[in-house]
Amino acid sequence: MTDGIGAAERRLEDERFLTGRGRYLDDLALPRQAWGSVVRSPHAHAEFETIDTSAALAMPGVLAVYAAADLAEAGLGAIPCVMAPKGADGGESATPTRPVLAAARVRVVGDPVAFVVAESAEEARAAAEAVAIDYRPLAPVTDAEAALRPGAPLLHEDAPGNLCLDWELGDRAEAEEALAAAAHRISLEIRNQRVIVCPMEPRAAFGAYDPGSGTYTLTAGTQGVHLVRNVLAKHVLKVPAQRVRVVTPDVGGAFGVKLWVYPEYALVLFAARRLGRPVKWVAERGEAMASDHQGRDLRSRATLALDADGHFLALAIESVANLGAYASNYGPSVATVGGTRALIGPYRTPALHVRVRAAYTNTAPTDAYRGAGRPENVYLLERLIDKAAHALGLDPAELRRRNLLPADAMPYRTPLGHTYDSGDFPAILDKACHASGWRAAYGRKAGAGERACLRGIGLAFYVDPCGANRNQWVALRFDAGGAATLLIGSQSTGQGHETAFAQIVADHLGMPVGHVRVRQGDTDLVAHGSGSSGSRSLPYGGNAVLRAAEEASAKGRAVAAALLEAREADVRFEEGRYRIAGTDRSLGFAEIVRASFDPTLRPEAETLGLDCELNHVGRAATFANGCHVCEVEIERATGRVRIVRYTTVDDFGRILNPLLAEGQNHGAVAQGIGQALTEHAVYDAASGQLLAGSFMDYTLPRADDLPLFDGHFAVVPCLTNPLGVKGCGEAGSIVSPAAVMNAVADALRDHGGHDKVAMPATPEAIWRILRGQSPPGPKEGTDAT
């Protein structure tokens, strides 16, 4: 097969995207559709009693204005947090639900307060401006540590002290004992700043209601229709799941932000039922930046203990996570059970203890953003290791080399209870250093001085644990002409699923990739599904597809035996053909598919065709890993950081499609570079206003901010799944912030380096450091002893 597994197959879906034939939500229209606009709070924290809708209702085209009382009268519920760990004391997390519309109190700028429906989008927006609400402003708190201090403004009565949970992992006593006995203790304080996700396509929703069947239909750009359906049906609409259909068309990027249930989903469905008409809502960019769930926002202090030879002995971490105004669907898990999985990395660290406190603030809720807590923890660990190398007078690569787990240690059970099944970390480090010219970098630094620049080089390592005990449903169906349709519960948001899954089917069954159609994103078509998140689509969805293809080929043996007039036991399926053992007689899979629909071929058969359906469970996690090396130059006069070289060496296991894997890595690295150098969702502490609420104030990386990437794969197949693959979608965003910032700190090592540089390393921040001034925003860095 030239277009099966391992082939650099161009994406099948790109033709329709590049020719303008994609179908995104804003491209869709239904007869008699109305438009919705959300009235949002201009205050970060306020109370109100009445909403005057009279002026809005009198405006042209307005059909209705709904408030919290209307939803309560109809029996609608609130949006829950569905995944939160227990605290260190075994108690439940404090996770107040989020109202679809605020009833008497708003807790963040952009909180939905009312919903206007009109004949056009313009009329709905104009009427939303006319809704009058008499707010009584309250003091806000936007910083998580400030929110936990006594006397801070309280957001929720059932979350005393604004604390969601106080969570711990590891052995505190063991870590403290190792720290006390260590020859070296290196400490660092890190702020992983809040970022706004900003997918190319803003969030949108289309609601419809069929009174005959009592069925709601939500069309929205999601990362998994089943999670959205289940939460809406059970907790918000309070109807059986079969009465809610969720459909997802093409999605223009997601990165975590479209996993969740948002108030607008419930609003368009409620309004559609009330009005008897479809209702559409599409966020404007500024609205999305204020109301989308955001990412990161973790402040940590860590101490690394080392012996006299630079071997790691223990790691102790205290973190405070900012959850925003409400606990998002998975929010409390991101900084705790989700993100801390990455803290061991590729190193042998005997003892570890982590404490995380998660706080509510008057800011947008935070939840999983590409990497989901792992970028924050890898950033902390890798910055700390570089500072330790500097303090001990060791090359950063050498310090890591002394502590890397060797290949012959696999399988390795970490102190956190995970089992690495495969990996060759020392070989990856050697390959990364060789490809990046690590040893020659110090000579390149001298040349930078001639250009009035400072040059630095940094590296970072990661191990990315991707899920465990996850399931994915698939059905593989064939028509009489031999073509296949694959139904699967994952959800493409731009990754290339239509190509990747088709390659697996084509590779096993010997079919052309173009003869396999992939269908996703419809709860009426796809029975079950876990969507797409956490780099799991290929490890779980891909292996589910392989199992379905194997079942289909196994069913075909009886048909092949009948056609070849042989015993079924003598028929083998190899490389897309059924062969009689010991002969040259064979038939292709397509021939068998066509024959499987002949009712006279096998009179004993009770069913025709080779269709199959299964719900695959992947029990083991995968552990993608790698090392990225970044080289930067900093202009002395302006403080501008320019990435001059970026080298990646990644072990994603068996590579299904190199083009897709490279594309995923490039995009993820670009997002990590954005966080390192340009992006910061800043809230004003006094008012709670989002100061970075448009692209005038929030700087996404552009093409000229990025280098050409020098990418390499180190293929060590995963041993816990049949495909041998490891998740790759988030790796670049997990490791790149640390690689970039270690390079920046190296360039500034004569100016305070690791104790001063913080993300984002903007020109202003670097310019101030170069002139001995304090950089803007929170400082990083503490003591090294």
PDB file of all heavy atoms in Angstrom, residues 377-410:
ATOM      1  N   ASN A 377       3.334  22.364  34.037  1.00  0.00           N
ATOM      2  CA  ASN A 377       4.228  21.590  34.881  1.00  0.00           C
ATOM      3  C   ASN A 377       5.551  21.273  34.198  1.00  0.00           C
ATOM      4  O   ASN A 377       6.598  21.258  34.858  1.00  0.00           O
ATOM      5  CB  ASN A 377       3.511  20.316  35.339  1.00  0.00           C
ATOM      6  CG  ASN A 377       2.481  20.602  36.411  1.00  0.00           C
ATOM      7  OD1 ASN A 377       2.818  20.801  37.566  1.00  0.00           O
ATOM      8  ND2 ASN A 377       1.210  20.650  36.028  1.00  0.00           N
ATOM      9  N   VAL A 378       5.537  21.042  32.907  1.00  0.00           N
ATOM     10  CA  VAL A 378       6.801  20.861  32.183  1.00  0.00           C
ATOM     11  C   VAL A 378       7.598  22.167  32.189  1.00  0.00           C
ATOM     12  O   VAL A 378       8.822  22.156  32.360  1.00  0.00           O
ATOM     13  CB  VAL A 378       6.529  20.379  30.746  1.00  0.00           C
ATOM     14  CG1 VAL A 378       7.788  20.466  29.887  1.00  0.00           C
ATOM     15  CG2 VAL A 378       6.017  18.940  30.761  1.00  0.00           C
ATOM     16  N   TYR A 379       6.911  23.278  32.022  1.00  0.00           N
ATOM     17  CA  TYR A 379       7.580  24.578  32.073  1.00  0.00           C
ATOM     18  C   TYR A 379       8.270  24.778  33.414  1.00  0.00           C
ATOM     19  O   TYR A 379       9.444  25.182  33.490  1.00  0.00           O
ATOM     20  CB  TYR A 379       6.560  25.687  31.824  1.00  0.00           C
ATOM     21  CG  TYR A 379       7.137  27.084  31.841  1.00  0.00           C
ATOM     22  CD1 TYR A 379       7.972  27.534  30.830  1.00  0.00           C
ATOM     23  CD2 TYR A 379       6.829  27.959  32.881  1.00  0.00           C
ATOM     24  CE1 TYR A 379       8.488  28.819  30.848  1.00  0.00           C
ATOM     25  CE2 TYR A 379       7.334  29.245  32.910  1.00  0.00           C
ATOM     26  CZ  TYR A 379       8.174  29.675  31.882  1.00  0.00           C
ATOM     27  OH  TYR A 379       8.694  30.947  31.911  1.00  0.00           O
ATOM     28  N   LEU A 380       7.556  24.492  34.485  1.00  0.00           N
ATOM     29  CA  LEU A 380       8.126  24.634  35.825  1.00  0.00           C
ATOM     30  C   LEU A 380       9.343  23.729  36.002  1.00  0.00           C
ATOM     31  O   LEU A 380      10.412  24.170  36.452  1.00  0.00           O
ATOM     32  CB  LEU A 380       7.054  24.290  36.863  1.00  0.00           C
ATOM     33  CG  LEU A 380       7.484  24.202  38.321  1.00  0.00           C
ATOM     34  CD1 LEU A 380       8.005  25.545  38.804  1.00  0.00           C
ATOM     35  CD2 LEU A 380       6.323  23.723  39.187  1.00  0.00           C
ATOM     36  N   LEU A 381       9.216  22.467  35.641  1.00  0.00           N
ATOM     37  CA  LEU A 381      10.298  21.510  35.839  1.00  0.00           C
ATOM     38  C   LEU A 381      11.519  21.866  35.008  1.00  0.00           C
ATOM     39  O   LEU A 381      12.659  21.877  35.513  1.00  0.00           O
ATOM     40  CB  LEU A 381       9.802  20.104  35.478  1.00  0.00           C
ATOM     41  CG  LEU A 381      10.827  18.974  35.543  1.00  0.00           C
ATOM     42  CD1 LEU A 381      11.333  18.797  36.967  1.00  0.00           C
ATOM     43  CD2 LEU A 381      10.217  17.673  35.025  1.00  0.00           C
ATOM     44  N   GLU A 382      11.320  22.183  33.745  1.00  0.00           N
ATOM     45  CA  GLU A 382      12.459  22.423  32.854  1.00  0.00           C
ATOM     46  C   GLU A 382      13.138  23.761  33.124  1.00  0.00           C
ATOM     47  O   GLU A 382      14.360  23.880  32.980  1.00  0.00           O
ATOM     48  CB  GLU A 382      12.004  22.313  31.399  1.00  0.00           C
ATOM     49  CG  GLU A 382      11.589  20.905  30.993  1.00  0.00           C
ATOM     50  CD  GLU A 382      12.746  19.929  31.037  1.00  0.00           C
ATOM     51  OE1 GLU A 382      13.820  20.239  30.505  1.00  0.00           O
ATOM     52  OE2 GLU A 382      12.574  18.840  31.628  1.00  0.00           O
ATOM     53  N   ARG A 383      12.401  24.761  33.530  1.00  0.00           N
ATOM     54  CA  ARG A 383      13.038  26.017  33.945  1.00  0.00           C
ATOM     55  C   ARG A 383      13.862  25.795  35.212  1.00  0.00           C
ATOM     56  O   ARG A 383      14.968  26.348  35.367  1.00  0.00           O
ATOM     57  CB  ARG A 383      11.969  27.091  34.203  1.00  0.00           C
ATOM     58  CG  ARG A 383      11.300  27.682  32.967  1.00  0.00           C
ATOM     59  CD  ARG A 383      12.222  28.563  32.128  1.00  0.00           C
ATOM     60  NE  ARG A 383      12.933  29.532  32.917  1.00  0.00           N
ATOM     61  CZ  ARG A 383      12.440  30.725  33.317  1.00  0.00           C
ATOM     62  NH1 ARG A 383      11.206  31.065  32.971  1.00  0.00           N
ATOM     63  NH2 ARG A 383      13.171  31.552  34.013  1.00  0.00           N
ATOM     64  N   LEU A 384      13.323  25.001  36.117  1.00  0.00           N
ATOM     65  CA  LEU A 384      14.021  24.715  37.374  1.00  0.00           C
ATOM     66  C   LEU A 384      15.313  23.941  37.111  1.00  0.00           C
ATOM     67  O   LEU A 384      16.360  24.225  37.724  1.00  0.00           O
ATOM     68  CB  LEU A 384      13.094  23.928  38.292  1.00  0.00           C
ATOM     69  CG  LEU A 384      13.602  23.571  39.690  1.00  0.00           C
ATOM     70  CD1 LEU A 384      13.983  24.820  40.465  1.00  0.00           C
ATOM     71  CD2 LEU A 384      12.535  22.782  40.441  1.00  0.00           C
ATOM     72  N   ILE A 385      15.281  22.975  36.207  1.00  0.00           N
ATOM     73  CA  ILE A 385      16.492  22.201  35.896  1.00  0.00           C
ATOM     74  C   ILE A 385      17.552  23.100  35.270  1.00  0.00           C
ATOM     75  O   ILE A 385      18.750  22.993  35.607  1.00  0.00           O
ATOM     76  CB  ILE A 385      16.146  21.022  34.965  1.00  0.00           C
ATOM     77  CG1 ILE A 385      15.291  20.000  35.717  1.00  0.00           C
ATOM     78  CG2 ILE A 385      17.405  20.360  34.428  1.00  0.00           C
ATOM     79  CD1 ILE A 385      14.750  18.888  34.832  1.00  0.00           C
ATOM     80  N   ASP A 386      17.150  24.011  34.398  1.00  0.00           N
ATOM     81  CA  ASP A 386      18.138  24.924  33.811  1.00  0.00           C
ATOM     82  C   ASP A 386      18.754  25.830  34.865  1.00  0.00           C
ATOM     83  O   ASP A 386      19.954  26.113  34.837  1.00  0.00           O
ATOM     84  CB  ASP A 386      17.488  25.761  32.704  1.00  0.00           C
ATOM     85  CG  ASP A 386      17.928  25.310  31.333  1.00  0.00           C
ATOM     86  OD1 ASP A 386      18.050  24.085  31.112  1.00  0.00           O
ATOM     87  OD2 ASP A 386      18.152  26.177  30.455  1.00  0.00           O
ATOM     88  N   LYS A 387      17.923  26.292  35.802  1.00  0.00           N
ATOM     89  CA  LYS A 387      18.481  27.130  36.867  1.00  0.00           C
ATOM     90  C   LYS A 387      19.453  26.322  37.721  1.00  0.00           C
ATOM     91  O   LYS A 387      20.506  26.829  38.136  1.00  0.00           O
ATOM     92  CB  LYS A 387      17.362  27.699  37.733  1.00  0.00           C
ATOM     93  CG  LYS A 387      17.905  28.612  38.839  1.00  0.00           C
ATOM     94  CD  LYS A 387      16.815  29.313  39.620  1.00  0.00           C
ATOM     95  CE  LYS A 387      17.434  30.216  40.683  1.00  0.00           C
ATOM     96  NZ  LYS A 387      16.429  30.923  41.484  1.00  0.00           N
ATOM     97  N   ALA A 388      19.114  25.045  37.972  1.00  0.00           N
ATOM     98  CA  ALA A 388      20.018  24.193  38.746  1.00  0.00           C
ATOM     99  C   ALA A 388      21.340  24.007  38.014  1.00  0.00           C
ATOM    100  O   ALA A 388      22.419  24.042  38.635  1.00  0.00           O
ATOM    101  CB  ALA A 388      19.355  22.843  39.008  1.00  0.00           C
ATOM    102  N   ALA A 389      21.293  23.801  36.715  1.00  0.00           N
ATOM    103  CA  ALA A 389      22.528  23.634  35.936  1.00  0.00           C
ATOM    104  C   ALA A 389      23.395  24.884  36.046  1.00  0.00           C
ATOM    105  O   ALA A 389      24.622  24.802  36.221  1.00  0.00           O
ATOM    106  CB  ALA A 389      22.190  23.340  34.478  1.00  0.00           C
ATOM    107  N   HIS A 390      22.778  26.048  35.951  1.00  0.00           N
ATOM    108  CA  HIS A 390      23.517  27.308  36.054  1.00  0.00           C
ATOM    109  C   HIS A 390      24.140  27.443  37.447  1.00  0.00           C
ATOM    110  O   HIS A 390      25.313  27.821  37.588  1.00  0.00           O
ATOM    111  CB  HIS A 390      22.575  28.478  35.777  1.00  0.00           C
ATOM    112  CG  HIS A 390      23.215  29.817  35.857  1.00  0.00           C
ATOM    113  ND1 HIS A 390      24.186  30.252  34.986  1.00  0.00           N
ATOM    114  CD2 HIS A 390      23.028  30.838  36.735  1.00  0.00           C
ATOM    115  CE1 HIS A 390      24.564  31.468  35.316  1.00  0.00           C
ATOM    116  NE2 HIS A 390      23.877  31.852  36.375  1.00  0.00           N
ATOM    117  N   ALA A 391      23.356  27.100  38.479  1.00  0.00           N
ATOM    118  CA  ALA A 391      23.863  27.240  39.844  1.00  0.00           C
ATOM    119  C   ALA A 391      25.002  26.270  40.134  1.00  0.00           C
ATOM    120  O   ALA A 391      25.930  26.590  40.887  1.00  0.00           O
ATOM    121  CB  ALA A 391      22.724  27.019  40.837  1.00  0.00           C
ATOM    122  N   LEU A 392      24.981  25.085  39.531  1.00  0.00           N
ATOM    123  CA  LEU A 392      25.999  24.064  39.781  1.00  0.00           C
ATOM    124  C   LEU A 392      27.163  24.149  38.795  1.00  0.00           C
ATOM    125  O   LEU A 392      28.112  23.368  38.884  1.00  0.00           O
ATOM    126  CB  LEU A 392      25.384  22.667  39.707  1.00  0.00           C
ATOM    127  CG  LEU A 392      24.774  22.104  41.003  1.00  0.00           C
ATOM    128  CD1 LEU A 392      23.635  22.975  41.513  1.00  0.00           C
ATOM    129  CD2 LEU A 392      24.273  20.678  40.774  1.00  0.00           C
ATOM    130  N   GLY A 393      27.078  25.074  37.843  1.00  0.00           N
ATOM    131  CA  GLY A 393      28.147  25.205  36.865  1.00  0.00           C
ATOM    132  C   GLY A 393      28.203  24.070  35.864  1.00  0.00           C
ATOM    133  O   GLY A 393      29.279  23.744  35.337  1.00  0.00           O
ATOM    134  N   LEU A 394      27.056  23.478  35.557  1.00  0.00           N
ATOM    135  CA  LEU A 394      26.986  22.369  34.620  1.00  0.00           C
ATOM    136  C   LEU A 394      26.278  22.784  33.336  1.00  0.00           C
ATOM    137  O   LEU A 394      25.410  23.672  33.341  1.00  0.00           O
ATOM    138  CB  LEU A 394      26.220  21.195  35.234  1.00  0.00           C
ATOM    139  CG  LEU A 394      26.868  20.487  36.429  1.00  0.00           C
ATOM    140  CD1 LEU A 394      25.898  19.471  37.015  1.00  0.00           C
ATOM    141  CD2 LEU A 394      28.156  19.799  35.987  1.00  0.00           C
ATOM    142  N   ASP A 395      26.660  22.143  32.245  1.00  0.00           N
ATOM    143  CA  ASP A 395      25.934  22.317  31.003  1.00  0.00           C
ATOM    144  C   ASP A 395      24.519  21.770  31.199  1.00  0.00           C
ATOM    145  O   ASP A 395      24.341  20.678  31.744  1.00  0.00           O
ATOM    146  CB  ASP A 395      26.650  21.551  29.883  1.00  0.00           C
ATOM    147  CG  ASP A 395      25.965  21.712  28.537  1.00  0.00           C
ATOM    148  OD1 ASP A 395      24.868  21.155  28.368  1.00  0.00           O
ATOM    149  OD2 ASP A 395      26.545  22.379  27.660  1.00  0.00           O
ATOM    150  N   PRO A 396      23.468  22.513  30.768  1.00  0.00           N
ATOM    151  CA  PRO A 396      22.100  22.031  30.977  1.00  0.00           C
ATOM    152  C   PRO A 396      21.841  20.662  30.364  1.00  0.00           C
ATOM    153  O   PRO A 396      21.080  19.865  30.929  1.00  0.00           O
ATOM    154  CB  PRO A 396      21.239  23.111  30.309  1.00  0.00           C
ATOM    155  CG  PRO A 396      22.072  24.355  30.385  1.00  0.00           C
ATOM    156  CD  PRO A 396      23.493  23.888  30.206  1.00  0.00           C
ATOM    157  N   ALA A 397      22.465  20.376  29.228  1.00  0.00           N
ATOM    158  CA  ALA A 397      22.289  19.054  28.626  1.00  0.00           C
ATOM    159  C   ALA A 397      22.951  17.980  29.485  1.00  0.00           C
ATOM    160  O   ALA A 397      22.421  16.874  29.636  1.00  0.00           O
ATOM    161  CB  ALA A 397      22.857  19.034  27.213  1.00  0.00           C
ATOM    162  N   GLU A 398      24.095  18.300  30.070  1.00  0.00           N
ATOM    163  CA  GLU A 398      24.802  17.324  30.883  1.00  0.00           C
ATOM    164  C   GLU A 398      24.030  17.015  32.166  1.00  0.00           C
ATOM    165  O   GLU A 398      23.950  15.854  32.603  1.00  0.00           O
ATOM    166  CB  GLU A 398      26.197  17.825  31.227  1.00  0.00           C
ATOM    167  CG  GLU A 398      26.977  16.975  32.222  1.00  0.00           C
ATOM    168  CD  GLU A 398      27.139  15.525  31.794  1.00  0.00           C
ATOM    169  OE1 GLU A 398      27.133  15.250  30.568  1.00  0.00           O
ATOM    170  OE2 GLU A 398      27.268  14.656  32.675  1.00  0.00           O
ATOM    171  N   LEU A 399      23.448  18.035  32.793  1.00  0.00           N
ATOM    172  CA  LEU A 399      22.677  17.778  34.005  1.00  0.00           C
ATOM    173  C   LEU A 399      21.498  16.859  33.704  1.00  0.00           C
ATOM    174  O   LEU A 399      21.197  15.944  34.462  1.00  0.00           O
ATOM    175  CB  LEU A 399      22.188  19.091  34.617  1.00  0.00           C
ATOM    176  CG  LEU A 399      21.362  18.949  35.908  1.00  0.00           C
ATOM    177  CD1 LEU A 399      22.139  18.218  36.989  1.00  0.00           C
ATOM    178  CD2 LEU A 399      20.888  20.310  36.398  1.00  0.00           C
ATOM    179  N   ARG A 400      20.844  17.101  32.598  1.00  0.00           N
ATOM    180  CA  ARG A 400      19.734  16.221  32.222  1.00  0.00           C
ATOM    181  C   ARG A 400      20.247  14.810  31.935  1.00  0.00           C
ATOM    182  O   ARG A 400      19.633  13.820  32.347  1.00  0.00           O
ATOM    183  CB  ARG A 400      19.003  16.801  31.007  1.00  0.00           C
ATOM    184  CG  ARG A 400      18.167  18.033  31.347  1.00  0.00           C
ATOM    185  CD  ARG A 400      17.615  18.695  30.098  1.00  0.00           C
ATOM    186  NE  ARG A 400      16.653  19.742  30.430  1.00  0.00           N
ATOM    187  CZ  ARG A 400      16.990  20.984  30.755  1.00  0.00           C
ATOM    188  NH1 ARG A 400      18.275  21.332  30.805  1.00  0.00           N
ATOM    189  NH2 ARG A 400      16.055  21.878  31.043  1.00  0.00           N
ATOM    190  N   ARG A 401      21.368  14.708  31.228  1.00  0.00           N
ATOM    191  CA  ARG A 401      21.902  13.391  30.868  1.00  0.00           C
ATOM    192  C   ARG A 401      22.184  12.549  32.114  1.00  0.00           C
ATOM    193  O   ARG A 401      21.956  11.339  32.128  1.00  0.00           O
ATOM    194  CB  ARG A 401      23.164  13.560  30.020  1.00  0.00           C
ATOM    195  CG  ARG A 401      23.712  12.252  29.453  1.00  0.00           C
ATOM    196  CD  ARG A 401      24.872  12.496  28.504  1.00  0.00           C
ATOM    197  NE  ARG A 401      24.423  13.037  27.226  1.00  0.00           N
ATOM    198  CZ  ARG A 401      24.609  14.280  26.822  1.00  0.00           C
ATOM    199  NH1 ARG A 401      25.250  15.155  27.616  1.00  0.00           N
ATOM    200  NH2 ARG A 401      24.173  14.690  25.651  1.00  0.00           N
ATOM    201  N   ARG A 402      22.646  13.185  33.176  1.00  0.00           N
ATOM    202  CA  ARG A 402      22.948  12.453  34.410  1.00  0.00           C
ATOM    203  C   ARG A 402      21.691  11.884  35.071  1.00  0.00           C
ATOM    204  O   ARG A 402      21.786  10.959  35.886  1.00  0.00           O
ATOM    205  CB  ARG A 402      23.658  13.373  35.409  1.00  0.00           C
ATOM    206  CG  ARG A 402      25.033  13.813  34.963  1.00  0.00           C
ATOM    207  CD  ARG A 402      25.710  14.651  36.045  1.00  0.00           C
ATOM    208  NE  ARG A 402      26.968  15.202  35.554  1.00  0.00           N
ATOM    209  CZ  ARG A 402      27.827  15.894  36.295  1.00  0.00           C
ATOM    210  NH1 ARG A 402      27.542  16.101  37.583  1.00  0.00           N
ATOM    211  NH2 ARG A 402      28.936  16.378  35.773  1.00  0.00           N
ATOM    212  N   ASN A 403      20.547  12.448  34.720  1.00  0.00           N
ATOM    213  CA  ASN A 403      19.319  12.063  35.411  1.00  0.00           C
ATOM    214  C   ASN A 403      18.296  11.354  34.531  1.00  0.00           C
ATOM    215  O   ASN A 403      17.239  10.948  35.026  1.00  0.00           O
ATOM    216  CB  ASN A 403      18.680  13.306  36.029  1.00  0.00           C
ATOM    217  CG  ASN A 403      19.486  13.839  37.201  1.00  0.00           C
ATOM    218  OD1 ASN A 403      19.402  13.319  38.317  1.00  0.00           O
ATOM    219  ND2 ASN A 403      20.290  14.869  36.952  1.00  0.00           N
ATOM    220  N   LEU A 404      18.580  11.201  33.236  1.00  0.00           N
ATOM    221  CA  LEU A 404      17.631  10.551  32.342  1.00  0.00           C
ATOM    222  C   LEU A 404      17.515   9.064  32.637  1.00  0.00           C
ATOM    223  O   LEU A 404      18.500   8.389  32.957  1.00  0.00           O
ATOM    224  CB  LEU A 404      18.066  10.725  30.884  1.00  0.00           C
ATOM    225  CG  LEU A 404      17.926  12.121  30.274  1.00  0.00           C
ATOM    226  CD1 LEU A 404      18.509  12.138  28.871  1.00  0.00           C
ATOM    227  CD2 LEU A 404      16.468  12.560  30.248  1.00  0.00           C
ATOM    228  N   LEU A 405      16.316   8.559  32.509  1.00  0.00           N
ATOM    229  CA  LEU A 405      16.097   7.119  32.604  1.00  0.00           C
ATOM    230  C   LEU A 405      16.683   6.448  31.366  1.00  0.00           C
ATOM    231  O   LEU A 405      16.434   6.899  30.243  1.00  0.00           O
ATOM    232  CB  LEU A 405      14.593   6.820  32.677  1.00  0.00           C
ATOM    233  CG  LEU A 405      13.881   7.260  33.950  1.00  0.00           C
ATOM    234  CD1 LEU A 405      12.375   7.318  33.724  1.00  0.00           C
ATOM    235  CD2 LEU A 405      14.203   6.297  35.083  1.00  0.00           C
ATOM    236  N   PRO A 406      17.436   5.373  31.510  1.00  0.00           N
ATOM    237  CA  PRO A 406      17.975   4.687  30.338  1.00  0.00           C
ATOM    238  C   PRO A 406      16.906   3.847  29.648  1.00  0.00           C
ATOM    239  O   PRO A 406      15.874   3.505  30.243  1.00  0.00           O
ATOM    240  CB  PRO A 406      19.077   3.802  30.924  1.00  0.00           C
ATOM    241  CG  PRO A 406      18.621   3.530  32.330  1.00  0.00           C
ATOM    242  CD  PRO A 406      17.896   4.778  32.773  1.00  0.00           C
ATOM    243  N   ALA A 407      17.177   3.502  28.404  1.00  0.00           N
ATOM    244  CA  ALA A 407      16.214   2.713  27.639  1.00  0.00           C
ATOM    245  C   ALA A 407      15.961   1.361  28.284  1.00  0.00           C
ATOM    246  O   ALA A 407      14.834   0.843  28.241  1.00  0.00           O
ATOM    247  CB  ALA A 407      16.705   2.542  26.202  1.00  0.00           C
ATOM    248  N   ASP A 408      16.995   0.791  28.910  1.00  0.00           N
ATOM    249  CA  ASP A 408      16.821  -0.546  29.493  1.00  0.00           C
ATOM    250  C   ASP A 408      16.060  -0.517  30.822  1.00  0.00           C
ATOM    251  O   ASP A 408      15.826  -1.558  31.439  1.00  0.00           O
ATOM    252  CB  ASP A 408      18.163  -1.262  29.653  1.00  0.00           C
ATOM    253  CG  ASP A 408      19.139  -0.528  30.565  1.00  0.00           C
ATOM    254  OD1 ASP A 408      18.719   0.422  31.256  1.00  0.00           O
ATOM    255  OD2 ASP A 408      20.325  -0.899  30.576  1.00  0.00           O
ATOM    256  N   ALA A 409      15.657   0.690  31.268  1.00  0.00           N
ATOM    257  CA  ALA A 409      14.823   0.778  32.468  1.00  0.00           C
ATOM    258  C   ALA A 409      13.354   0.524  32.153  1.00  0.00           C
ATOM    259  O   ALA A 409      12.543   0.362  33.073  1.00  0.00           O
ATOM    260  CB  ALA A 409      14.966   2.156  33.114  1.00  0.00           C
ATOM    261  N   MET A 410      13.005   0.493  30.845  1.00  0.00           N
ATOM    262  CA  MET A 410      11.615   0.292  30.468  1.00  0.00           C
ATOM    263  C   MET A 410      11.236  -1.185  30.568  1.00  0.00           C
ATOM    264  O   MET A 410      12.035  -2.044  30.188  1.00  0.00           O
ATOM    265  CB  MET A 410      11.376   0.797  29.043  1.00  0.00           C
ATOM    266  CG  MET A 410      11.779   2.232  28.822  1.00  0.00           C
ATOM    267  SD  MET A 410      10.857   3.362  29.890  1.00  0.00           S
ATOM    268  CE  MET A 410      11.940   4.795  29.870  1.00  0.00           C
TER     269      MET A 410
END
